[in-house]
Amino acid sequence: MVENQSCLIPRDYPRESNWPACMNYSLDRIEVQHGKRPLENNQENEALQRKLPKLSDSLNGEVALSSPDDQVGNKRAADNSDSSSLIPVIGRDNSITCLINCSRSDYGAIASLNTTFRSLIRSGELFRLRRQNGVVEHWVYFSCQLLEWEAFDPTRSRWMHLPPMNSNECFVFSDKESLAVGTELLVFGKEILSHVIYCYSILTNTWSSGMQMNAPRCLFGSASLGEIAILAGGCDSQGRILSSAELYNSETGTWKTLPSMNKPRKMCSAVFMDRKFYVIGGIGGTDSISRLTCGEEYDMETEKWTEIPSMSPVRADADMPAASEAPPLVAVVNNDLYAADYADMAVRKYDKQNKAWVSIGRLPERAASMNGWGLAFRACGDKLIVIGGPRAMGEGHIEVNAWAPRDGPPQWNLLGQKRSGSFVYNCAVMGC
């Protein structure tokens, strides 16, 4: 790469790339002269200014065409202003309206234009504005190798490598949970003497550690809604099963203790549905080893928990120890709750009115698991996705299949496939 020379990142990235690192390079290496992008000559600068308004008009129909007098004034202002107006010819507000409608795959290129674009993206302000305006893109983050994470953009079918995590061997082999909230991917585990949380930020393309819950835990149920997430149940460092719950705000980086559930439970699952938080299934009971078939609903307005009988879709196989089965594989799309039955390779839907599960179709046939472990079943916007692959000795491959429930009974479409381990250790979907 040419030193001391900035450039735009092309749109046609390779299908498998180290894009986050490329974005980080463009953010860290860009050089600015007098507040503007250091183009080679004035002709390039004028060409860029002509292209940007056209891009803005195509992204947002509300951008009005300016009169000849306005164009003269805008050109003069663009020549004499700094970069604080973003796209000078249309002003800051219209510039931001255009930017929030751009794909976040393009933000690395956008950040290389000048320091104001860079600050807008790296500060997280642009993602907050996207959330306020209902603009959301969902990317899938998963790990098929210990400490190695990848991201998949289902819209453009691109795979991206994340930087490796820096942790000790105790963390590598401990139980780990993952959660995406806001612009962060959180990975929970245990080091030698305590629980630890590693946080990957898409704003800086780096991992960090240090944040702690009020009551550290593992094997909990969790779900996110915008910039907040709720974690419930799990085990403490002594192995005691918990009924406590906490709310995490990714904007402030703070934890808030919530009222406790009616029952302690571990290895449970959780979802948001109808703007309420649900914990489903798990292990608990008076003997602390029994499967729980009930769920619990947390109303964030009343701050109360309500127990819901028979909400867990877990198969009650009396011959199989409860701890050998994965937590319930559940996901919510358009406020409907779905579950993956790994044993029957079936998809079930929860009937809210009758409080019962109904089989509606099949899972992808090549999505193998070990008692539910190694298979990811998640909501990704208006689609359900299954991430997994056929069992294979040595290196296999991973597949991402998707189905939109609005289109009728399950018909799975292959979104992407690559050589990889076929066992999914952790998976989370980030919408921002």
Side-chain angles (χ1 to χ4, degrees):
M1 188 169 292
V2 179
E3 294 293 332
N4 300 322
Q5 185 172 349
S6 59
C7 61
L8 289 177
I9 301 173
R11 277 183 173 273
D12 53 339
Y13 309 108
R15 286 190 173 271
E16 182 174 356
S17 66
N18 197 14
W19 178 86
C22 184
M23 177 177 176
N24 203 41
Y25 181 90
S26 67
L27 295 177
D28 292 336
R29 295 288 296 174
I30 187 71
E31 293 188 6
V32 177
Q33 298 172 355
H34 307 297
K36 295 185 179 180
R37 178 174 178 261
L39 295 173
E40 289 293 327
N41 53 54
N42 291 333
Q43 290 180 347
E44 290 186 35
N45 193 16
E46 290 174 1
L48 179 63
Q49 295 296 338
R50 286 196 300 271
K51 290 178 181 179
L52 290 175
K54 291 180 181 178
L55 172 63
S56 305
D57 292 343
S58 66
L59 290 172
N60 191 319
E62 297 178 357
V63 178
L65 295 175
S66 57
S67 66
D69 291 339
D70 290 337
Q71 292 174 1
V72 173
N74 287 335
K75 186 176 187 305
R76 185 181 300 114
D79 290 340
N80 297 309
S81 68
D82 60 16
S83 59
S84 61
S85 58
L86 297 176
I87 307 173
V89 72
I90 63 174
R92 183 179 178 84
D93 290 343
N94 284 333
S95 300
I96 290 178
T97 300
C98 296
L99 292 173
I100 64 175
N101 285 282
C102 290
S103 170
R104 63 185 179 107
S105 292
D106 296 326
Y107 281 0
I110 292 170
S112 68
L113 290 174
N114 59 42
T115 53
T116 305
F117 282 106
R118 170 183 174 174
S119 175
L120 187 67
I121 293 172
R122 292 196 68 169
S123 67
E125 179 183 356
L126 194 56
F127 289 98
R128 287 191 289 271
L129 293 171
R130 284 166 65 94
R131 186 164 58 247
Q132 292 171 11
N133 286 272
V135 179
V136 180
E137 287 179 77
H138 294 87
W139 287 11
V140 185
Y141 294 79
F142 63 95
S143 172
C144 291
Q145 304 289 339
L146 296 176
L147 302 185
E148 293 184 15
W149 281 81
E150 295 192 66
F152 179 73
D153 176 358
T155 302
R156 299 188 176 185
S157 298
R158 290 200 178 94
W159 306 86
M160 292 153 280
H161 297 285
L162 271 61
M165 302 175 67
N166 295 320
S167 60
N168 60 32
E169 290 186 0
C170 185
F171 181 84
V172 172
F173 297 107
S174 68
D175 292 316
K176 289 182 283 293
E177 282 73 43
S178 61
L179 171 68
V181 52
T183 57
E184 298 175 348
L185 170 65
L186 306 182
V187 182
F188 303 78
K190 189 174 182 181
E191 293 194 333
I192 297 174
L193 298 176
S194 63
H195 291 91
V196 65
I197 305 172
Y198 284 87
C199 173
Y200 170 77
S201 170
I202 67 171
L203 306 179
T204 61
N205 187 41
T206 58
W207 291 94
S208 60
S209 63
M211 66 172 73
Q212 286 291 340
M213 285 181 274
N214 295 322
R217 66 193 71 202
C218 64
L219 302 177
F220 50 80
S222 66
S224 61
L225 182 65
E227 74 279 12
I228 68 166
I230 296 179
L231 292 71
C235 293
D236 63 13
S237 58
Q238 305 300 316
R240 291 184 291 261
I241 301 179
L242 304 173
S243 61
S244 59
E246 296 192 37
L247 182 147
Y248 174 68
N249 188 317
S250 63
E251 293 290 303
T252 61
T254 57
W255 296 87
K256 174 185 175 183
T257 301
L258 302 179
S260 293
M261 295 184 291
N262 294 293
K263 283 184 169 63
R265 60 182 77 206
K266 68 176 181 178
M267 296 179 67
C268 47
S269 298
V271 294
F272 274 98
M273 182 169 61
D274 299 319
R275 298 197 66 82
K276 295 179 180 179
F277 177 75
Y278 292 84
V279 180
I280 300 170
I283 297 174
T286 55
D287 55 4
S288 296
I289 59 172
S290 299
R291 292 184 182 91
L292 296 174
T293 59
C294 63
E296 297 201 36
E297 171 194 279
Y298 179 69
D299 189 319
M300 291 188 290
E301 294 184 0
T302 63
E303 297 187 340
K304 292 183 178 179
W305 290 93
T306 302
E307 188 171 317
I308 303 176
S310 304
M311 195 177 187
S312 175
V314 172
R315 290 166 46 87
D317 187 345
D319 296 330
M320 181 177 294
S324 65
E325 287 189 300
L329 302 175
V330 294
V332 170
V333 171
N334 297 326
N335 284 317
D336 285 322
L337 178 61
Y338 299 87
D341 184 336
Y342 70 87
D344 291 339
M345 293 299 288
V347 180
R348 300 184 187 181
K349 182 178 179 180
Y350 184 67
D351 184 335
K352 298 179 187 177
Q353 183 174 356
N354 296 315
K355 293 182 170 55
W357 288 93
V358 180
S359 294
I360 60 173
R362 302 282 297 170
L363 288 170
E365 294 299 330
R366 293 167 63 84
S369 72
M370 297 176 60
N371 299 331
W373 301 104
L375 179 69
F377 181 78
R378 297 287 187 273
C380 187
D382 61 353
K383 297 180 177 63
L384 286 168
I385 59 170
V386 173
I387 305 178
R391 295 176 183 173
M393 295 298 292
E395 185 177 3
H397 63 268
I398 198 79
E399 295 179 353
V400 181
N401 287 276
W403 162 60
R406 67 172 183 273
D407 294 338
Q411 296 289 331
W412 297 94
N413 297 313
L414 180 63
L415 299 183
Q417 182 185 71
K418 67 169 295 186
R419 297 184 68 84
S420 171
S422 59
F423 190 95
V424 181
Y425 289 99
N426 293 99
C427 178
V429 176
M430 183 186 298
C432 61

